[in-house]
Amino acid sequence: MFITVIALGLSGDVHPLTALARGLHEAGHTVRVATHRAWQTEVTQAGLEFADLPPGNVHQVVTDPAFLEVLEASRRPDRMFAAVRSATRSLGGRVQQTPTGRMRSLLNLARSYDEALVTDVWAASEGSDALVYGAPMAFHGYYAARARGIPSAAALIQPIDYQGGGGRRFVKEQVIWQIFRESIARWQRKEGQPVAPLRGPFPQWRQAGLPVVYGISPAVLPRPGHWAAQQQLAGYWFLDSAPDSSLPARVRDFLAAGPAPVYVTFGSMATRQPEQLTELVMSAIRETGDRAILATGWGGLSGTDSTDTVLCVDELPLDLVFPHVRAVVHHGGVMITAEGLRAGRPTVVIPSVLDQFDWGKRIAALGVGPDPVPRTQLTAAKLAAALAATRDPRLVGAAAELGARIRAERGVQHAVTALDQAFGA
């Protein structure tokens, strides 16, 4: 079969779908991955066809001061209006300057982007026998597949519908659907397709049994009993480094020069004050006496001079470095959480937004890390206390045991089998 996989977002969103696409390719399918230009190298190196989706430069978007200001205010409703007002000013005159006009123009910008996205998803699906899509592309992929008369399935790394039905689920579904509804409906009218219902495709998905595979370990999040048969918990989908890859020489030398360090990164979660956060982290590790690798990522931490006890890097392949550290500190993104758990290392989560809080709580519930410390409440003393907690033998043992279970799983293979069955391949 010719299968197109549609993936949108940051590395933690796109890399698992790329790993799944590679698994489909190794199972004998021809596979195209439609994603941002920023991930083209990873896609082509996996032997897959690449199709471009906007925006090409994801890094530029998530490190833009306007984006960061709104992101930092996302859990403070009292600050949202000021943040949106400041953000719109920095967008260079593309928005109206009345209070109501600012929000309306931001929505118009978002809709313009989504209309381009719908068009590009439609183009990327041409010639496909089936579509596989991750969130938030489920709507775009589902309706593109219906228009082409081909089967489709969702491949998700977040446990959507984990808590079951009811009013809360309906509200969450509608909040997401209504963001995309107008642009999808406009595209459907243009293509002469039936227009999606006001409340979205959710009833059809449940009645028809839309296949859904989740790239989540059942050892981390057990399969809920209310899920339908077509909802499969496959295990994590890791996009590992090439077999002949190795860490840079300076990293290997640092690891060999002393006790196992802690690894600190905030990945793609940039901040407007990286110097302050870096000094906070440095103060905490001085208090605990840890050696540390600080990964600046996309701007969460600032660069600092390396010493005998601290090594500053941009970013490193997590599958190569995590087995050599004693604990990991990060923002709680789903895939960096998965990497730390697979390595069997205690984890400290410093969440900022969205599902990061849920994964931080899950880490604590599993007994493989201390309670999460929200970024807005982080102090050097709290981080030092959390790092000290990761030396608890019970926690260290639980993390090692969970890591062994995850390493024994075959998440990609299980997902490929489920998709083959769903597509009749």
Side-chain angles (χ1 to χ4, degrees):
M1 296 183 75
F2 192 122
I3 301 174
T4 295
V5 176
I6 305 168
L8 186 74
L10 305 176
S11 58
D13 306 300
V14 175
H15 285 178
L17 272 294
T18 304
L20 177 58
R22 183 168 63 184
L24 288 165
H25 176 69
E26 291 172 350
H29 301 288
T30 301
V31 184
R32 171 191 297 143
V33 176
T35 187
H36 313 297
R37 200 174 308 118
W39 313 122
Q40 183 172 1
T41 299
E42 287 88 341
V43 170
T44 55
Q45 285 180 345
L48 309 169
E49 182 181 330
F50 171 78
D52 192 15
L53 294 181
N57 192 336
V58 183
H59 178 272
Q60 184 178 12
V61 173
V62 301
T63 58
D64 185 277
F67 178 88
L68 292 177
E69 187 163 9
V70 174
L71 181 67
E72 290 171 8
S74 62
R75 292 188 65 83
R76 289 282 305 277
D78 57 308
R79 291 174 51 197
M80 278 301 294
F81 178 77
V84 170
R85 180 176 58 190
S86 176
T88 55
R89 280 201 300 266
S90 74
L91 291 173
R94 286 178 285 172
V95 297
Q96 304 170 40
Q97 291 304 304
T98 63
T100 56
R102 278 189 277 270
M103 183 60 73
R104 185 182 304 115
S105 295
L106 276 179
L107 291 173
N108 288 339
L109 285 172
R111 286 167 182 158
S112 296
Y113 163 71
D114 193 50
E115 286 175 8
L117 194 58
V118 172
T119 300
D120 286 354
V121 166
W122 175 244
S125 68
E126 185 175 1
S128 303
D129 298 313
L131 297 187
V132 175
Y133 34 80
M137 300 309 299
F139 307 123
H140 306 65
Y142 172 73
Y143 283 115
R146 284 193 63 179
R148 294 202 182 277
I150 59 177
S152 68
L156 308 178
I157 58 171
Q158 298 292 354
I160 296 173
D161 197 25
Y162 195 77
Q163 300 298 331
R168 184 177 179 184
R169 181 178 70 179
F170 175 80
V171 171
K172 289 170 66 176
E173 290 174 345
Q174 291 307 306
V175 166
I176 298 171
W177 163 244
Q178 296 303 326
I179 294 172
F180 303 106
R181 182 178 63 83
E182 282 192 27
S183 54
I184 289 176
R186 196 172 293 117
W187 166 79
Q188 288 171 324
R189 293 188 187 99
K190 178 182 175 183
E191 296 294 331
Q193 295 293 324
V195 175
L198 178 63
R199 294 187 176 184
F202 306 104
Q204 293 93 321
W205 286 356
R206 295 185 182 104
Q207 291 168 12
L210 177 74
V212 184
V213 288
Y214 291 87
I216 303 170
S217 168
V220 174
L221 207 63
R223 187 181 189 278
H226 68 269
W227 274 6
Q230 72 273 10
Q231 293 176 279
Q232 300 292 321
L233 202 61
Y236 289 124
W237 307 325
F238 294 106
L239 188 65
D240 286 332
S241 304
D244 58 350
S245 299
S246 63
L247 292 168
R250 63 190 289 259
V251 178
R252 299 198 303 271
D253 291 344
F254 179 80
L255 291 170
V262 296
Y263 188 94
V264 184
T265 183
F266 293 93
S268 57
M269 297 300 299
T271 177
R272 292 184 297 160
Q273 298 174 323
E275 295 82 8
Q276 292 184 17
L277 182 55
T278 302
E279 180 51 39
L280 185 155
V281 171
M282 294 289 287
S283 296
I285 60 177
R286 283 194 293 267
E287 182 175 339
T288 61
D290 276 301
R291 303 173 77 234
I293 297 176
L294 305 187
T296 58
W298 284 11
L301 297 172
S302 62
T304 186
D305 294 334
S306 296
T307 67
D308 291 341
T309 58
V310 176
L311 178 66
C312 187
V313 299
D314 180 8
E315 55 185 349
L316 295 171
L318 302 182
D319 62 311
L320 299 183
V321 70
F322 274 7
H324 302 287
V325 304
R326 76 159 194 86
V328 295
V329 179
H330 57 69
H331 54 289
V334 59
M335 287 313 296
I336 193 170
T337 297
E339 288 283 7
L341 295 179
R342 177 172 65 157
R345 298 300 180 257
T347 298
V348 177
V349 175
I350 313 295
S352 293
V353 296
L354 303 173
D355 63 300
Q356 296 169 5
F357 293 87
D358 296 326
W359 292 117
K361 292 174 183 176
R362 190 63 190 151
I363 289 289
L366 289 166
V368 298
D371 289 334
V373 183
R375 173 69 186 86
T376 55
Q377 301 173 23
L378 185 66
T379 64
K382 288 182 178 180
L383 179 55
L387 285 171
T390 61
R391 294 187 181 276
D392 184 325
R394 293 169 299 177
L395 191 150
V396 172
E401 181 181 350
L402 179 59
R405 293 176 63 187
I406 292 173
R407 290 192 297 274
E409 295 173 353
R410 296 293 179 265
V412 169
Q413 290 90 328
H414 292 159
V416 168
T417 298
L419 291 173
D420 278 345
Q421 292 174 349
F423 297 152

